[in-house]
Amino acid sequence: MATKILVTGGARSGKTGLAERLALRLGRGPVYIATAEARDAEMADRIAAHRAGRGDGWRTLEAPLALAAALDDSDGAGPRLVDCLTLWLSNLVLGGRDWHAEAEALADTLARQRAPVVLVTNEVGAGIVPENALARQFRDAAGWLNQRIAAEADEVWLSVAGCPLRLKPNDLDP
Amino acid sequence: MATKILVTGGARSGKTGLAERLALRLGRGPVYIATAEARDAEMADRIAAHRAGRGDGWRTLEAPLALAAALDDSDGAGPRLVDCLTLWLSNLVLGGRDWHAEAEALADTLARQRAPVVLVTNEVGAGIVPENALARQFRDAAGWLNQRIAAEADEVWLSVAGCPLRLKPNDLDP
Amino acid sequence: MATKILVTGGARSGKTGLAERLALRLGRGPVYIATAEARDAEMADRIAAHRAGRGDGWRTLEAPLALAAALDDSDGAGPRLVDCLTLWLSNLVLGGRDWHAEAEALADTLARQRAPVVLVTNEVGAGIVPENALARQFRDAAGWLNQRIAAEADEVWLSVAGCPLRLKPNDLDP
């Protein structure tokens, strides 16, 4: 069974850097699967900065919606880095898709991968309850997705201020 | 002295599931003490989903405000699960009660319990500072309450993406 | 080389109390370097409460902007406690300063300190994405600053509900 790793954390907490280091340990020929769409200048800048930071040696696929298909298509020898699940969920919701069914399909797809996968996601539920009902629904969906994928993962890491903390497995489990 | 455990985490981080598992280890005849009030359809749905998830074998008490009394009244042999402190605090604030005095009374009540108690609470202070002054006051109050109850607890757990992390006691204490 | 420690956490999570305990272990004659400005009554109350909580024995310096200079000026034998980096960043941004250059200068200043320094900062990126573009930029800047200073620090601690968790160094590093 291929190794599956989930990396979570707040905004600008060092998640992607940690995920890259973990992915590069899992084999040669890494593939970067981007879920971001460059819909505005702010997002385009962010994508360009991430790409420049990764350096050469990565193949890049774009999968704003068809993430499960991108995983199956790239299931060769090299590790895949999915960056990130929260944007993918946002794309599904904005596109009017059945995000719950798509998330279950993603979990099934992950379970049958032969090459390693590292997935980045975001902590979005540790602030004050949003006044906006759609924001509340989104943070519930994001929390549910994080739990669903974490349950499939062999390892789960939390990044805080660039410091990695392993949540699964850990010696302090009840 | 009865075991007291506090479980904290963001929205949909797996707090209640972890708290249920911890409570069921502490004895038979578990009691679920709900602080939620079904004031709207969104909250009613959430309560119903939680109740269905728990299954049979739990006795349920409702204590949107009188939490300390509910603990004393249910202080028999079985473990109690309080879900959750943040909603209880919100009920106190919305009801114009002296939340600070009520929180101190809750801490005193916890200290004299003979049967175990597991309490669920929320992390609400790790987002951007809210623009709304009432929201800022609430997150200060919630943070203070979490510290106050954590100081009384024998164990404190953080749930992230469904993964439990023990904060107290832990081997990395300074 | 002097010990440098970073303490992070959400609002009212016990960061300052933990930082004080850590600072007092690092030597006599502690210096409290406050970055807060008492611009309104809410902030003045918060500053007064913190000062009362610290008790005697602390010398206090105010450095809402000139933090690097305050560190150099106070670089004697006693430990310094900087409270906090997030407010300092906010002061720089509101003052129209080049926060990125100032943060790099702070990191350089930290690297050459002879007496110990404990710095408090905030987790602000674990809530829902703010609708306000300036808030999004601020949380990105705050996350970047946290990573930059954490990289210089010998120890990084996360405070949750008053419970300290050591993030750096930790035995669970990848």
Side-chain angles (χ1 to χ4, degrees), chain A residues 6 8 123 125-129 131 133 136 139-140 143-144 146-147 150-151 156 158 165-168 170 172-174, chain B residues 10-14 18 22 25 42 46 123-127 130 132 135 138-139 157 160-166 170:
Chain A
L6 181 68
T8 191
E123 290 302 300
I128 207 81
V129 179
E131 292 181 42
R136 284 201 300 280
R139 74 173 199 158
D140 280 354
W144 180 89
N146 286 356
Q147 288 191 55
V156 179
L158 176 68
L165 182 71
R166 200 176 65 206
L167 298 174
K168 179 184 177 181
N170 81 55
L172 304 176
D173 234 84
Chain B
R12 292 291 164 112
S13 63
L18 172 60
L22 292 167
R25 288 185 183 187
E42 182 179 339
R46 208 175 259 249
E123 290 302 301
V124 301
N132 182 318
F138 184 78
R139 73 173 199 158
W157 293 83
V160 180
C163 303
L165 182 71
R166 201 177 64 206
N170 79 56

Side-chain angles (χ1 to χ4, degrees), chain B residues 104-171:
Chain B
E104 288 291 353
L106 176 66
D108 290 345
T109 301
L110 276 176
R112 67 169 179 258
Q113 297 296 298
R114 291 170 317 226
V117 187
V118 181
L119 305 108
V120 174
T121 194
N122 283 259
E123 290 302 301
V124 301
I128 208 81
V129 179
E131 292 180 44
N132 182 318
L134 288 177
R136 284 201 300 280
Q137 287 165 22
F138 184 78
R139 73 173 199 158
D140 280 354
W144 179 89
L145 176 62
N146 287 356
Q147 288 191 55
R148 185 71 185 83
I149 302 303
E152 289 293 330
D154 306 291
E155 296 179 18
V156 179
W157 293 83
L158 176 68
S159 188
V160 180
C163 303
L165 182 71
R166 201 177 64 206
L167 299 174
K168 178 184 178 181
N170 79 56
D171 300 336

Side-chain angles (χ1 to χ4, degrees), chain A residues 76-156:
Chain A
R80 279 80 48 84
L81 194 172
V82 175
D83 189 9
C84 71
L85 289 180
T86 317
L87 269 173
W88 174 69
L89 178 66
S90 174
N91 293 338
L92 292 174
V93 170
L94 292 173
R97 307 280 281 263
D98 181 347
W99 63 265
H100 197 279
E102 302 258 6
E104 288 291 353
L106 177 66
D108 290 345
T109 301
L110 275 175
R112 67 169 179 257
Q113 297 296 298
R114 290 168 317 224
V117 187
V118 181
L119 306 107
V120 174
T121 194
N122 283 259
E123 290 302 300
V124 301
I128 207 81
V129 179
E131 292 181 42
N132 181 318
L134 288 177
R136 284 201 300 280
Q137 288 166 21
F138 184 78
R139 74 173 199 158
D140 280 354
W144 180 89
L145 175 62
N146 286 356
Q147 288 191 55
R148 184 71 186 82
I149 302 301
E152 289 293 330
D154 306 291
E155 296 179 19
V156 179

Side-chain angles (χ1 to χ4, degrees), chain B residues 51-106:
Chain B
R51 193 180 289 242
R54 268 197 307 284
D56 297 330
W58 289 79
R59 183 158 68 97
T60 299
L61 299 178
E62 297 191 358
L65 292 168
L67 179 53
L71 283 168
D72 279 339
D73 290 349
S74 62
D75 195 9
R80 279 78 50 82
L81 194 172
V82 175
D83 189 9
C84 70
L85 289 179
T86 317
L87 269 173
W88 174 69
L89 178 66
S90 174
N91 293 338
L92 292 174
V93 169
L94 292 173
R97 306 281 280 264
D98 181 347
W99 62 265
H100 197 279
E102 302 258 7
E104 288 291 353
L106 176 66

